[in-house]
Amino acid sequence: MPCINQECRLPTAICSFQIASPAFTTTEENTLSTSSTLKNGLKTRHLTMISIAGVIGGALFIGSGPVIYHTGPAAILAYGAGGILVMLIMRMLGEMAVAHPDSGSFSTYADIAIGRWAGFSIGWLYWYFWALLMGWEAYVAGKILNNWFPMVPIWGYMLAVTIALVIINLMDVKNYGEFEFWFALIKVVAIVLFLIVGSLAIMHLWPWGQADAKGWSHLSNQGFMPHGISAVITALLGVMFAYIGAEIVTVAAAESSHPATEIRKATKSVVWRIILFYVGSIFITVCLIPYNDPHLSDPTWGTYSVVLTSLGIPQARHIVNFVVLTSVLSCFNSALYTCSRMLYSLAKRGDAHRIMTYISKNGSPQIGVLISCIFTLFAVYLTATAKMNVYDVLLTATGTIALYVYLAISFSQLFLRKKLEKEGQTLTFKMWCFPWLTYLVIGLIIASIITMIIEGTYKHEVIYTSILAAIILVMGILAQALKFGNNRTSAE
């Protein structure tokens, strides 16, 4: 799971985005956005860090430990393969987003390429995912703070964190960008230091720590793939969830001065970030630490804590907990931003109540920000009443949302690209080897979902998420068939 450690046929914009329209432009400086009332307050440095933060979550610092423990050193292959899939997904999304930057991102493109029911369904499913995950992020932050300063209960910290980040998102978008910049910078500095220290240890240049935490003997001395290829496949299915969040930059870029340019840069750089941050960190871990170290499977430790402790870093667990705290705050911050923009886009298309289109004087969709916190406040209540296990059941229904989002992006790009080619349109940023790579990605995602059900490890996550998706899908089909939404008439 990510971060423990993310759409617009508008009445005013549809005419300039219909496939047959000559006004649909593919120039890099296309700055069309969902509404002139959303301010272009994000700078290049903000978007750079937002794109990095979307990839880095608590799943790297904590969640990667159990993956290594159950897979062995071959976990490197799982993270590498998952990174390649995300790279292809981001390329497809980048093709559409460069042509038409929009705060609704892939929900907008699904709406136009496939149909209103698709944009409705994937938009609300994505909103539910991040809105629900915010409650869990607040809980993790509360536990870390309570561990340091136990005089305040966990729910008290949760409420304080929620209020603080809501205030940030109620202000000008540049405030969100500024906070996200510093949150992400802390994570990046921590990872870079980890990579440097780990590399020194591998080269026998690190003078402290345990005697066996040197070199790369652990990479193969107990077998590179001790549990076989089936364990790697199972790990790959779980690893794919860790990468969700990379697409947030296509939402945020719509509020920059040059969205198309920023999206191109972020899409191209996602591959080396994944290789450097995830694959690099996993490689160092499996070289320095036995894959069956029991601390790796202990969620109270985390991957980085185990490695740094073995290297003799004093108070490593507290240092890593601080990084994890900034990571979950970053995830909460981005989730709240994304949820509010998704609601705004859905409302502009008539797929959510029109009150969500309200924009304050500083350009923030404040109603959307407040409504997106509903599950977080519910989590605060459940924590205060010692019933947080109820929230765990709700989280189960988010287990495979990443795959459904990726599937929607793939189909949207497939249909939209074909329509554009029929109309003679030229795109300056394209998916590679179209349509064969797109078909391959679609096939792999569908095969993954089927494998998850048959293999059984993620069976319940698939079933519960599919039930939720089916309910939202039916609502989307009804909305389209019965023409719900007063402001859809001009777009139908």
Side-chain angles (χ1 to χ4, degrees):
M1 291 294 296
C3 290
I4 164 120
N5 89 51
Q6 293 215 182
E7 266 184 308
C8 117
R9 221 163 23 178
L10 306 178
T12 58
I14 181 62
C15 293
S16 61
F17 188 59
Q18 286 178 334
I19 302 305
S21 171
F24 178 67
T25 177
T26 59
T27 58
E28 290 207 14
E29 299 308 319
N30 181 353
T31 57
L32 181 63
S33 62
T34 53
S35 170
S36 59
T37 54
L38 282 177
K39 289 188 176 181
N40 296 330
L42 294 177
K43 301 177 181 179
T44 298
R45 66 184 181 88
H46 295 149
L47 289 167
T48 299
M49 283 301 180
I50 289 171
S51 63
I52 293 175
V55 178
I56 306 170
L60 172 60
F61 301 112
I62 299 177
S64 57
V67 174
I68 296 172
Y69 184 82
H70 294 292
T71 308
I76 299 171
L77 302 179
Y79 278 95
I84 291 173
L85 176 63
V86 173
M87 176 186 69
L88 296 175
I89 292 294
M90 285 298 293
R91 186 76 185 190
M92 288 187 278
L93 182 57
E95 177 183 292
M96 297 181 288
V98 166
H100 182 70
D102 188 275
S103 64
S105 190
F106 48 83
S107 176
T108 295
Y109 312 136
D111 185 310
I112 298 171
I114 304 173
R116 179 185 178 185
W117 62 270
F120 178 101
S121 302
I122 203 65
W124 276 109
L125 196 63
Y126 193 70
W127 177 87
Y128 173 82
F129 170 78
W130 285 114
L132 196 65
L133 198 64
M134 279 191 289
W136 185 251
E137 304 295 346
Y139 178 73
V140 174
K143 286 200 69 173
I144 293 174
L145 290 169
N146 176 259
N147 183 55
W148 291 340
F149 311 106
M151 68 287 298
V152 177
I154 295 175
W155 68 265
Y157 286 119
M158 292 173 66
L159 188 60
V161 165
T162 301
I163 293 174
L165 293 179
V166 165
I167 291 174
I168 291 171
N169 279 269
L170 289 177
M171 297 187 291
D172 192 292
V173 67
K174 67 181 181 181
N175 291 288
Y176 156 73
E178 201 63 36
F179 275 88
E180 196 59 23
F181 174 85
W182 292 107
F183 283 150
L185 186 60
I186 292 173
K187 293 189 287 186
V188 170
V189 170
I191 293 173
V192 170
L193 290 176
F194 177 82
L195 295 176
I196 293 173
V197 171
S199 298
L200 290 174
I202 290 176
M203 294 184 292
H204 296 274
L205 299 176
W206 183 257
W208 302 284
Q210 300 172 6
D212 65 338
K214 302 286 190 298
W216 51 51
S217 60
H218 294 301
L219 186 63
S220 58
N221 63 2
Q222 293 178 296
F224 180 72
M225 200 179 295
H227 302 300
I229 189 65
S230 61
V232 178
I233 294 174
T234 301
L236 173 60
L237 299 176
V239 163
M240 286 190 290
F241 309 143
Y243 290 130
I244 191 170
E247 69 286 342
I248 290 177
V249 70
T250 64
V251 177
E255 293 183 70
S256 68
S257 299
H258 305 288
T261 301
E262 300 298 342
I263 291 170
R264 286 178 67 103
K265 290 166 58 179
T267 303
K268 288 181 176 180
S269 62
V270 70
V271 60
W272 70 260
R273 287 170 183 157
I274 289 175
I275 292 175
L276 178 63
F277 297 146
Y278 275 91
V279 180
S281 295
I282 301 303
F283 175 76
I284 285 176
T285 299
V286 298
C287 284
L288 300 178
I289 300 296
Y291 79 88
N292 54 1
D293 187 318
H295 287 142
L296 287 174
S297 62
D298 186 347
T300 64
W301 270 79
T303 314
Y304 274 38
S305 295
V306 177
V307 176
L308 294 177
T309 298
S310 70
L311 293 178
I313 304 295
Q315 302 298 322
R317 292 181 70 179
H318 289 302
I319 295 173
V320 174
N321 277 341
F322 172 74
V323 177
V324 172
L325 177 62
T326 62
S327 179
V328 296
L329 292 177
S330 169
C331 185
F332 189 120
N333 195 37
S334 289
L336 186 54
Y337 170 85
T338 305
C339 282
S340 63
R341 269 55 179 184
M342 190 66 69
L343 284 182
Y344 174 77
S345 178
L346 287 166
K348 290 291 287 185
R349 287 177 273 148
D351 292 337
H353 195 283
R354 61 180 178 273
I355 195 173
M356 311 291 184
T357 62
Y358 169 76
I359 299 294
S360 64
K361 292 182 179 180
N362 59 21
S364 169
Q366 294 184 344
I367 302 299
V369 170
L370 296 174
I371 291 178
S372 294
C373 293
I374 184 171
F375 286 118
T376 307
L377 295 177
F378 183 51
V380 173
Y381 167 76
L382 291 177
T383 303
T385 56
K387 297 177 181 178
M388 191 60 181
N389 58 316
V390 175
Y391 207 78
D392 295 336
V393 177
L394 296 176
L395 276 172
T396 305
T398 69
T400 52
I401 282 179
L403 291 179
Y404 289 112
V405 170
Y406 296 160
L407 197 60
I409 292 172
S410 302
F411 274 113
S412 298
Q413 188 266 339
L414 179 66
F415 295 149
L416 202 54
R417 174 76 169 269
K418 287 184 175 181
K419 290 179 181 179
L420 286 171
E421 289 180 342
K422 283 184 179 180
E423 296 297 329
Q425 301 274 0
T426 301
L427 295 175
T428 59
F429 191 76
K430 297 180 180 180
M431 173 61 177
W432 305 295
C433 300
F434 181 83
W436 306 114
L437 267 182
T438 302
Y439 284 134
L440 177 62
V441 170
I442 291 173
L444 287 175
I445 294 174
I446 294 175
S448 296
I449 294 173
I450 295 174
T451 302
M452 290 167 77
I453 296 175
I454 296 175
E455 192 273 337
T457 302
Y458 298 102
K459 181 178 180 179
H460 292 102
E461 284 83 351
V462 175
I463 293 175
Y464 294 155
T465 307
S466 298
I467 291 173
L468 174 65
I471 293 172
I472 296 177
L473 183 64
V474 170
M475 294 171 61
I477 293 173
L478 290 175
Q480 179 171 318
L482 301 178
K483 299 186 183 299
F484 292 147
N486 295 332
N487 58 339
R488 293 289 302 202
T489 54
S490 61
E492 298 292 353

